[in-house]
Amino acid sequence: MIIIKKVADLQNHLLAQKKEGKKIGFVPTMGALHQGHLSLLKQCIEQNEITVCSIFVNPTQFNNQEDFKHYPKTVEKDIELLVEVGCSVLFLPSTDEIYPPGFQPRKYDLGDLETKWEGQYRPGHFQGVCQVMDRLLSIVDPDRLYLGQKDFQQCMVIKKLEKDIFHDRTEIKIVPTQREKDGLAMSSRNLRLSAEQRQKATAIYQSLLYIKEQTGTQANDALTTTATSILNDAGFSVDYVTVVQQETLMPIAVQDGQPAVALIAATIGNIRLIDNMILN
Ligand code: AMP
């Protein structure tokens, strides 16, 4: 694996690979890699001659500076994992490489995706996600982009960004959420849970399973109310539990066969976790 820190070096390297007809797959991350990230990388490595992984903790997508400050950094371990899995290129840019002096962020039109759910609780978050993804996609220009279903709304936002700005140049692959044995979705933020919080955190998966198992038996409001109680009983404060249409993320009142997904965001201690489950 080669490690590249400069945008120009990465572009030169990838241009040479593209000239040889090699397909480029791209896995953007913020590091602190775990099996969830590795499942994206494994699929990418299987499907492309060149796999580029980026590690960049993007400051513009953090609406909470404490969260940014405490975001785990484990670069040495990440490099070992990337070598082990067979990644071709690690792109490890500085903030100045991604946002050079004078960089003018544009405003992305995301419609309702920007203000609903995560957008409501993390103002500015998806503009930041779009800024970094716009930059990274322009730099890497991949044939395929790998995203985790774990961040369901982010997948929809990046799909829209890709369509609006890059016009389907890049194929987007959404990879299922990897979970711990007790169902907790793998996340870099899990590292910050105490042993007790870690145990209680399984309530998120339990609530999602409850909604999935009971789908269609009651109105979705009733299901999300019970799911909220499961979370509250475990000590979570709940931002939202909702059942929505998969593409638009608009609420569905009664299950009527539309493609639906249950979304949850909840905080334990000061650690905010999100998860989701496809219902049909
Ligand atoms: P992050 O480093 O949190 O920005 O995540 C980088 C990519 O890994 C994103 O596309 C995430 O959705 C994906 N990802 C994070 N956790 C998981 C997981 N448990 N299962 C599958 N993909 C994940």
Side-chain angles (χ1 to χ4, degrees):
M1 182 176 78
I2 55 174
I3 301 177
I4 299 181
K5 296 189 171 180
K6 299 284 179 198
V7 168
D9 293 344
L10 180 66
Q11 286 180 314
N12 286 336
H13 177 74
L14 293 180
L15 206 60
Q17 307 297 319
K18 286 173 194 168
K19 276 197 185 133
E20 289 178 21
K22 293 183 180 161
K23 294 287 183 205
I24 313 283
F26 180 38
V27 181
T29 81
M30 298 204 296
L33 301 183
H34 50 65
Q35 291 300 321
H37 298 111
L38 293 183
S39 70
L40 271 61
L41 283 153
K42 283 177 192 159
Q43 189 171 326
C44 183
I45 289 162
E46 254 172 47
Q47 296 177 343
N48 303 275
E49 279 98 351
I50 302 290
T51 287
V52 179
C53 175
S54 63
I55 296 182
F56 177 64
V57 185
N58 173 35
T60 71
Q61 74 187 67
F62 285 82
N63 51 310
N64 176 339
Q65 281 314 297
E66 281 302 297
D67 192 22
F68 177 57
K69 221 168 66 191
H70 292 117
Y71 201 83
K73 291 183 187 67
T74 59
V75 178
E76 294 308 316
K77 179 89 198 321
D78 292 348
I79 291 172
E80 275 175 31
L81 288 171
L82 288 169
V83 169
E84 220 171 277
V85 76
C87 179
S88 337
V89 179
L90 167 59
F91 181 45
L92 197 57
S94 66
T95 305
D96 271 1
E97 279 295 298
I98 298 297
Y99 304 121
F103 172 82
Q104 289 293 335
R106 62 196 275 180
K107 173 93 177 84
Y108 300 90
D109 177 9
L110 301 172
D112 283 339
L113 282 179
E114 176 158 12
T115 48
K116 296 195 87 59
W117 318 121
E118 282 306 276
Q120 182 188 340
Y121 288 92
R122 303 185 67 187
H125 170 63
F126 287 125
Q127 287 295 321
V129 167
C130 286
Q131 274 166 27
V132 76
M133 286 309 301
D134 189 356
R135 271 295 278 155
L136 289 170
L137 287 173
S138 307
I139 294 164
V140 178
D141 188 19
D143 296 285
R144 301 188 185 95
L145 171 68
Y146 294 80
L147 303 172
Q149 186 205 312
K150 157 83 169 44
D151 297 283
F152 195 89
Q153 189 169 0
Q154 174 170 279
C155 290
M156 297 307 137
V157 165
I158 296 174
K159 267 187 167 181
K160 177 160 171 49
L161 172 85
E162 202 289 326
K163 203 170 217 25
D164 291 353
I165 304 211
F166 298 93
H167 312 293
D168 296 324
R169 262 181 91 80
T170 296
E171 184 185 357
I172 295 187
K173 301 275 196 182
I174 297 179
V175 180
T177 304
Q178 300 297 304
R179 300 181 179 281
E180 304 287 355
K181 280 203 179 70
D182 65 0
L184 177 66
M186 291 178 179
S187 164
S188 310
R189 288 188 175 85
N190 296 351
L191 294 172
R192 291 171 49 204
L193 295 169
S194 70
E196 193 190 347
Q197 290 166 341
R198 169 64 191 81
Q199 218 177 7
K200 290 181 167 169
T202 189
I204 298 183
Y205 183 62
Q206 299 304 330
S207 335
L208 287 169
L209 271 188
Y210 168 79
I211 294 174
K212 187 173 169 98
E213 282 162 6
Q214 299 294 321
T215 296
T217 64
Q218 301 162 54
N220 287 332
D221 261 2
L223 296 180
T224 55
T225 301
T226 307
T228 303
S229 306
I230 297 174
L231 287 162
N232 289 335
D233 290 349
F236 275 94
S237 102
V238 174
D239 283 349
Y240 57 84
V241 177
T242 187
V243 174
V244 297
Q245 208 275 344
Q246 284 176 23
E247 288 291 321
T248 61
L249 304 193
M250 296 309 268
I252 301 175
V254 178
Q255 188 53 39
D256 59 358
Q258 293 184 65
V261 58
L263 305 175
I264 287 182
T267 301
I268 192 155
N270 59 354
I271 299 147
R272 187 172 182 278
L273 301 173
I274 60 168
D275 199 353
N276 65 82
M277 195 173 278
I278 303 276
L279 300 180
N280 55 351

